[in-house]
Amino acid sequence: MAVYLDSAATARVDPRVAEVVLHWMTEDFGNAGSRTHDWGTRAKRAVQQAREQLASQLNASSSELIFTSGATESNNIALLGLAPQGERQNRRHIITSAIEHKAVLEPLEHLASRGFDVDVIAPGPSGRVSVDAVRERLRDDTLLVSLMHVNNETGVIQPVAELANFLRSTATYLHVDAAQGFGKLTEDLTAPIDMISISGHKIGAPKGVGGLLIRRRGRDTVPLTPLMFGGGQERKLRPGTLPVPLIVGLAKAAEIFDKEHKSWWSEAEAVRSRLVQALRKTNVHFNGDQEHVMPHILNVSFEGVDAEALIVQLKDLAAVSTGSACTSASYTPSHVLRGMGLPDSIAANGLRLSWFPDQAKDLDVDELVNEIVEFQAGVAHTH
């Protein structure tokens, strides 16, 4: 059976999380908004405990965290919800990067169609945006900077903590899409970042749950306008019945990651070392700054090799992807690798390997690499 190497797309739900989720689905199944019986009271208490735990991991108060369906919704609430304030104050300049997830780039495209000036930084081949690059673009009418924490295709870590500390003395807000970093590199997210989008299914929680941290500056909160109405839940920013089992599952997954973080990191790094060493036998290009990268994501391109064809060749050994799961249905060059200024021969053929150590332990690295070497040789021969 193939080894699963697509954890950046989604991780397997941790069995300990699944157990908790099932309990809140089948036994304590009350609605957190029901106030007249114990089922509702227990559900409300469980949600509050989850909120307190998750907020404390981000060095925030529980009143600053709202639950959403995941990072995509959180990004939309943050970006589109802040737009009316920008229009009121005539501050329509937004800074972002060319390597953001589509869940950030597409809402910003929408704002551009509404008259916002979206300034897109190309980070260069390192795939890392510098704080200086943001500082140089800052203007009096800059409403927002939106920069991801960890790139979902390359695993490159962005300097969001340093950026947060710099922007805190300005009127410009900072939004961070932390779908790939929350739980795994949470320390960065304790910096004074105004808004943080988090996702559950990247850390072993179920799909369909995440959150948006909206951090206060002193007494001032980020002036967001709701995108939806009806019910008033989650500070009126995210109405609807709270999915108690998913919320409790998210908190449980984050708790497990927090406790087991050191071993997860070192084991993920060990897998990476084995892969990198073995891949050097091939004609390989490692994409992104390998000095500032998460231990569980590796993005590579092989000279003269079509990534889609290689994925088919490897399917019995390993499940890998060409990049973001949200865009992998299209065979166009990766917008992330293109945004880094890499040539199309590399950008069109980036291969992402991403793993959780417990699943990657069965990976026969030598067999995988030998398959790639043979495939490369075959391609070279036919040319």
Side-chain angles (χ1 to χ4, degrees):
M1 188 176 170
V3 174
Y4 184 73
L5 297 181
D6 201 18
S7 293
T10 193
R12 176 180 63 183
V13 172
D14 188 296
R16 292 166 289 182
V17 173
E19 191 180 332
V20 168
V21 170
L22 192 62
H23 170 85
W24 287 95
M25 282 181 164
T26 59
E27 293 181 49
D28 274 322
F29 50 82
N31 186 325
S34 298
R35 303 178 185 279
T36 56
H37 49 68
D38 286 348
W39 279 269
T41 303
R42 286 195 297 270
K44 184 181 180 184
R45 191 182 306 129
V47 167
Q48 186 55 25
Q49 285 173 347
R51 200 188 303 273
E52 286 170 4
Q53 178 214 309
L54 290 161
S56 72
Q57 285 181 242
L58 294 166
N59 192 29
S61 85
S62 60
S63 63
E64 295 173 303
L65 179 68
I66 66 168
F67 290 113
T68 67
S69 64
T72 294
E73 185 185 8
S74 297
N75 291 341
N76 275 266
I77 293 171
L79 301 172
L80 302 181
L82 190 58
Q85 175 74 357
E87 288 163 340
R88 283 191 295 270
Q89 295 184 333
N90 200 25
R91 293 169 62 207
R92 291 182 171 87
H93 182 231
I94 296 173
I95 300 171
T96 191
S97 82
I99 59 168
E100 298 302 306
H101 193 278
K102 294 289 188 182
V104 164
L105 294 177
E106 289 186 12
L108 290 181
E109 280 173 21
H110 172 72
L111 290 181
S113 75
R114 281 169 51 179
F116 281 79
D117 178 9
V118 180
D119 204 337
V120 182
I121 298 172
S126 72
R128 198 164 194 258
V129 176
S130 71
V131 173
D132 283 343
V134 176
R135 188 183 284 122
E136 286 162 12
R137 286 167 173 78
L138 215 58
R139 310 189 319 212
D140 289 342
D141 66 336
T142 306
L143 174 69
L144 175 73
V145 175
S146 185
L147 184 66
M148 68 192 342
H149 183 203
V150 171
N151 186 267
N152 52 297
E153 292 194 24
T154 63
V156 172
I157 303 161
Q158 308 299 325
V160 293
E162 187 187 345
L163 185 58
N165 288 315
F166 164 66
L167 288 176
R168 202 64 169 176
S169 61
T170 74
T172 300
Y173 295 107
L174 174 62
H175 165 254
V176 170
D177 176 356
Q180 294 289 350
F182 173 71
K184 307 182 189 93
L185 195 58
T186 306
E187 189 179 328
D188 283 357
L189 304 176
T190 61
I193 299 165
D194 297 294
M195 295 183 284
I196 301 173
S197 300
I198 66 173
S199 175
H201 73 104
K202 312 294 188 184
I203 58 166
K207 297 168 190 66
V209 67
L212 177 64
L213 187 82
I214 308 159
R215 207 187 295 272
R216 284 187 289 272
R217 290 191 177 195
R219 291 184 177 180
D220 298 329
T221 189
V222 182
L224 297 180
T225 299
L227 307 185
M228 297 188 295
F229 302 89
Q233 295 92 338
E234 299 304 279
R235 288 172 42 187
K236 298 187 177 178
L237 286 172
R238 208 282 178 170
T241 302
L242 289 171
V244 179
L246 302 184
I247 288 168
V248 176
L250 170 60
K252 182 67 177 176
E255 178 195 325
I256 290 168
F257 241 97
D258 190 44
K259 285 179 181 169
E260 300 177 2
H261 180 262
K262 280 185 181 170
S263 60
W264 181 90
W265 189 282
S266 61
E267 287 167 22
E269 254 181 351
V271 174
R272 183 187 194 84
S273 298
R274 281 165 49 212
L275 271 169
V276 168
Q277 194 173 349
L279 284 167
R280 294 198 190 280
K281 297 175 193 168
T282 69
N283 197 349
V284 68
H285 185 277
F286 295 102
N287 298 322
D289 181 350
Q290 300 301 297
E291 296 299 311
H292 296 94
V293 72
M294 292 296 284
H296 72 299
I297 300 177
L298 184 63
N299 194 296
V300 292
S301 299
F302 298 99
E303 197 72 36
V305 170
D306 177 74
E308 297 291 337
L310 182 55
I311 286 172
V312 173
Q313 183 71 21
L314 298 176
K315 72 180 191 308
D316 293 333
L317 290 177
V320 298
S321 71
T322 53
S324 169
C326 303
T327 52
S328 60
S330 59
Y331 297 152
T332 53
S334 156
H335 80 274
V336 169
L337 301 184
R338 261 191 165 166
M340 289 160 58
L342 298 175
D344 272 2
S345 58
I346 290 176
N349 292 303
L351 199 68
R352 181 183 69 184
L353 297 87
S354 54
W355 55 89
F356 272 25
D358 60 332
Q359 289 160 295
K361 67 180 186 297
D362 298 325
L363 178 65
D364 188 329
V365 170
D366 293 328
E367 188 182 6
L368 182 74
V369 170
N370 287 340
E371 194 72 35
I372 294 169
V373 169
E374 283 181 28
F375 190 76
Q376 267 188 320
V379 169
H381 181 70
T382 54
H383 287 174

